[in-house]
């Protein structure tokens, strides 16, 4: 794969001398947007009482963000590839900061839901530019290190959200503390914007012309993704009819693929389907989808088990999940450094550790469920976190290793959309088993957690099987 030449003059110096500082700006902004997926969970009781949210309102405050986030990823990544990653990144960051301020000032349900949708769209605009910048600024082992730091940000943001949310509510009170879950983004965004302009590389001559933006492909992909995610994020829709939307989504995805193949013969499509011919990319996207269905759902049911079943405060519940965040952050940075040496077997080892840790966590809850269960699950969650750190960052490095820099944003957007779809499917499947168990066995929070955890573990084991098959095929 050829590497595009560096820009000349001051731009070349900026790229060479400030790329790690530029990466730091990207990671801080990306961390902020991903944190908002999990941090709101612990603030919901405070939000619900403060704004008198309906059940549907609670659902949209949670899932509306993820839905809007997933819809924006691929088109925004494509826009950054075609025009200017820096401009798209800064627009997303500014919009996310403003939407956070609007959410914190919300006075009623509709106001907060609209602000959360705006936050999600802005986050989806910003995040694919991060992987695009990593592809653009780094090569070889350094690219692995950069993706390792991105993986650490992803893993930590998922696990540390409940802890940070609990700290903010404890500091500012149950009545108004939820507003600071959103206001905390303001100083970060304001500080990051001028740094982004100064440190991120300016646009080069775009590889894709503006008239080739492929609006039909964008609309087909957006409609298909919306129909696919809606039945999973809108949990108060009852009955089997909602699953017809999944069939409609499959039809639209097929139409999208057909259109992209046709459009790609003449112009640059929103997603170049030839990317999937590279086994590293196709397997990495599939593995990411399945793995995120397993690991993100664990925190959802574990927080409910601790707070509702064991009467933990939001802060103590967040502290109980911290070992996972610590293990994930440390292992992701390490995994990014060594992925070029070990390749897919490193991801396989990480998945095995995650499966081992989750199994041990389920056993710990079965044997020692009670007020001190947060202590006995600490070591299993640490092991799972170490494993997760060896999965997310190395898999992202391997998945994008054969992607041309000119398509880094759209390819990264597809990968991140798979992660969002996996998270939505996993939370719906694991949550359904968890709540059904509580309906059948009222008060048996430990049993509900174990049954839900078994479903999450099934997703992780499926991801492990995919990785093992790939390793064995490569050896043969």
């Amino acid at each position: 794969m050829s590497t595009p030449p560096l820009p000349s003059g001051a731009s070349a110096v900026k790229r060479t001398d400030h790329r790690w500082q530029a990466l730091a700006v990207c990671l801080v902004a990306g961390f902020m947007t991903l944190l908002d997926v999990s941090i709101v969970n612990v603030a919901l009781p405070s939000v619900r009482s403060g704004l008198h949210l309906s059940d549907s309102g609670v659902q949209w405050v949670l899932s509306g963000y993820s839905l809007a986030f997933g819809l924006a990823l691929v088109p925004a990544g494509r826009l950054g590839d075609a025009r200017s990653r820096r401009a798209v990144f800064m627009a997303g960051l500014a919009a996310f900061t403003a939407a956070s301020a609007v959410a914190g000032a919300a006075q009623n349900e509709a106001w907060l839901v609209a602000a959360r949708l705006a936050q999600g769209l802005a986050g989806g605009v910003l995040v694919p530019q991060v992987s695009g910048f990593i592809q653009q600024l780094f090569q070889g082992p350094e690219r692995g290190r950069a993706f390792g730091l991105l993986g650490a940000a992803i893993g930590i943001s998922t696990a540390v959200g409940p802890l940070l949310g609990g700290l903010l509510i404890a500091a500012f009170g149950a009545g108004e503390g939820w507003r600071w879950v959103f206001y905390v983004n303001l100083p970060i965004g304001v500080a990051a914007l001028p740094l982004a302009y100064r440190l991120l590389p300016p646009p080069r001559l775009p590889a894709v012309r503006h008239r080739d933006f492929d609006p039909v492909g964008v609309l087909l992909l957006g409609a298909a993704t919306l129909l696919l995610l809606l039945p999973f994020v809108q949990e108060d829709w009852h009955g089997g009819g909602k699953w017809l939307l999944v069939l409609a989504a499959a039809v639209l995805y097929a139409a999208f693929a057909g259109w992209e193949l046709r459009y790609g013969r003449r112009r640059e499509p929103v997603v170049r389907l030839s990317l999937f011919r590279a086994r590293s990319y196709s397997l990495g996207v599939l593995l990411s989808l399945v793995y995120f269905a397993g690991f993100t759902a664990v925190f959802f049911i574990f927080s409910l088990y601790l707070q509702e079943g064991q009467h933990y405060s939001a802060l103590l519940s967040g502290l109980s999940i911290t070992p996972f965040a610590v293990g994930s952050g440390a292992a992701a940075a390490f995994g990014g450094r060594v992925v070029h040496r070990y390749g897919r077997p490193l991801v396989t080892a990480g998945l095995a550790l995650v499966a081992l840790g989750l199994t041990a966590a389920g056993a710990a809850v079965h044997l020692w469920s009670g007020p001190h269960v947060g202590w006995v699950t600490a070591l299993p969650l640490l092991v799972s976190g170490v494993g997760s750190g060896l999965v997310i960052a190395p898999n992202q490095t391997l998945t994008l290793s054969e992607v041309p820099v000119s398509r880094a944003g759209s390819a990264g957007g597809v990968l991140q959309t798979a992660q969002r779809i996996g998270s939505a499917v996993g939370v719906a499947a694991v949550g359904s088993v968890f709540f059904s168990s509580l309906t059948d066995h009222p008060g048996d929070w430990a049993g509900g957690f174990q049954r839900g955890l078994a479903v999450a573990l099934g997703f992780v084991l499926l991801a492990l099987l995919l990785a093992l098959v790939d390793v064995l095929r490569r050896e043969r």
Side-chain angles (χ1 to χ4, degrees):
M1 184 196 315
S2 61
T3 302
L6 297 179
S8 59
S11 297
V13 173
K14 180 180 289 187
R15 280 192 57 191
T16 302
D17 291 348
H18 300 303
R19 54 193 172 154
W20 291 104
Q21 294 95 320
L23 176 64
V25 173
C26 290
L27 295 184
V28 168
F31 178 88
M32 181 173 66
T33 61
L34 295 171
L35 185 72
D36 261 51
V37 177
S38 60
I39 193 174
V40 174
N41 287 331
V42 297
L44 273 181
S46 177
V47 178
R48 185 165 193 166
S49 62
L51 296 182
H52 308 291
L53 298 184
S54 65
D55 289 342
S56 177
V58 170
Q59 182 64 36
W60 275 100
V61 167
L62 278 177
S63 59
Y65 179 91
S66 297
L67 180 63
F69 192 101
L71 290 176
L73 284 167
V74 176
R78 174 70 164 74
L79 181 62
D81 290 341
R83 306 303 297 170
S84 166
R85 289 194 182 104
R86 184 175 69 176
V88 176
F89 178 93
M90 292 182 65
L93 179 58
F96 187 86
T97 305
S100 297
V102 173
Q107 299 300 311
N108 54 55
E109 179 178 303
W111 182 335
L112 182 58
V113 169
R116 286 290 284 171
L117 290 172
Q119 268 192 312
L121 286 172
V125 168
L126 186 156
V127 166
Q129 314 313 320
V130 176
S131 59
F133 276 126
I134 291 176
Q135 294 282 95
Q136 179 179 342
L137 294 173
F138 300 95
Q139 299 178 33
E142 283 194 336
R143 183 180 288 177
R145 289 176 58 193
F147 273 122
L149 294 174
L150 176 60
I154 293 172
I156 293 174
S157 67
T158 303
V160 84
L163 172 61
L164 181 57
L167 285 170
L168 289 171
I169 291 174
F172 294 99
E176 296 295 313
W178 66 268
R179 297 186 183 276
W180 290 91
V181 166
F182 303 110
Y183 287 151
V184 73
N185 295 325
L186 302 188
I188 301 173
V190 169
L193 274 169
L195 290 173
Y197 182 79
R198 185 168 70 88
L199 295 172
L200 296 179
R204 298 173 295 177
L205 182 66
V208 184
R209 293 186 299 276
H210 179 63
R211 64 186 177 88
D212 291 337
F213 190 66
D214 187 11
V216 174
V218 169
L219 289 174
L220 285 172
L221 179 61
T225 304
L226 177 64
L227 293 180
L228 178 61
L229 287 176
L230 267 178
F232 295 102
V233 301
Q234 192 65 17
E235 295 177 5
D236 59 354
W237 287 0
H238 302 294
K242 68 178 184 178
W243 300 115
L244 294 175
L245 294 178
V246 176
L247 295 178
V251 173
L252 284 179
Y253 275 125
F256 168 74
W259 171 262
E260 294 299 273
L261 289 172
R262 178 184 174 187
Y263 190 86
R265 296 191 189 104
R266 308 185 310 275
R267 298 178 178 179
E268 183 70 18
V270 66
V271 177
R272 179 67 70 176
L273 296 184
S274 60
L275 289 171
F276 290 94
R277 294 175 187 166
R279 188 168 64 182
S280 61
Y281 187 75
S282 57
L283 175 74
V285 170
L286 178 60
L287 192 150
S288 194
L289 186 151
V290 175
Y291 177 65
F292 270 72
F295 106 97
T296 52
V298 172
F299 305 108
F300 171 60
I301 60 171
F302 191 53
S303 294
L304 286 173
Y305 161 65
L306 291 177
Q307 294 187 57
E308 301 293 334
Q310 302 302 324
H311 308 294
Y312 275 41
S313 66
L315 177 57
L316 285 178
S317 175
L319 284 171
S320 299
I321 299 172
T322 301
F324 185 99
V326 172
S328 179
F334 171 77
R337 291 176 179 270
V338 301
V339 63
H340 283 280
R341 186 185 309 170
Y342 298 107
R344 191 67 65 185
L346 181 67
V347 177
T348 307
L351 288 165
L353 282 176
V354 174
L356 176 64
L358 294 183
T359 302
V365 169
H366 178 73
L367 295 173
W368 294 289
S369 183
H372 302 296
V373 71
W375 288 104
V376 297
T377 55
L379 181 59
L381 288 180
L382 177 64
V383 172
S384 295
V386 170
S388 188
L390 297 179
V391 173
I392 295 175
N395 183 64
Q396 189 149 353
T397 303
L398 296 170
T399 301
L400 300 177
S401 61
E402 297 181 65
V403 173
V405 172
S406 61
R407 299 191 182 109
S410 58
V414 170
L415 176 62
Q416 290 149 1
T417 300
Q419 294 171 355
R420 301 280 72 78
I421 292 173
S423 297
V425 171
V427 168
V430 173
S432 176
V433 171
F434 177 77
F435 290 118
S436 295
S437 177
L438 289 177
T439 301
D440 296 337
H441 308 280
D444 185 13
W445 290 92
F449 173 72
Q450 291 172 74
R451 294 179 183 92
L453 185 64
V455 178
L457 182 60
F459 284 117
V460 173
L461 290 175
L462 179 57
L464 176 59
L465 178 62
L466 290 171
L468 281 171
V469 169
D470 182 62
V471 169
L472 293 174
R473 286 181 61 185
R474 289 178 185 277
E475 287 182 354
R476 286 201 300 265

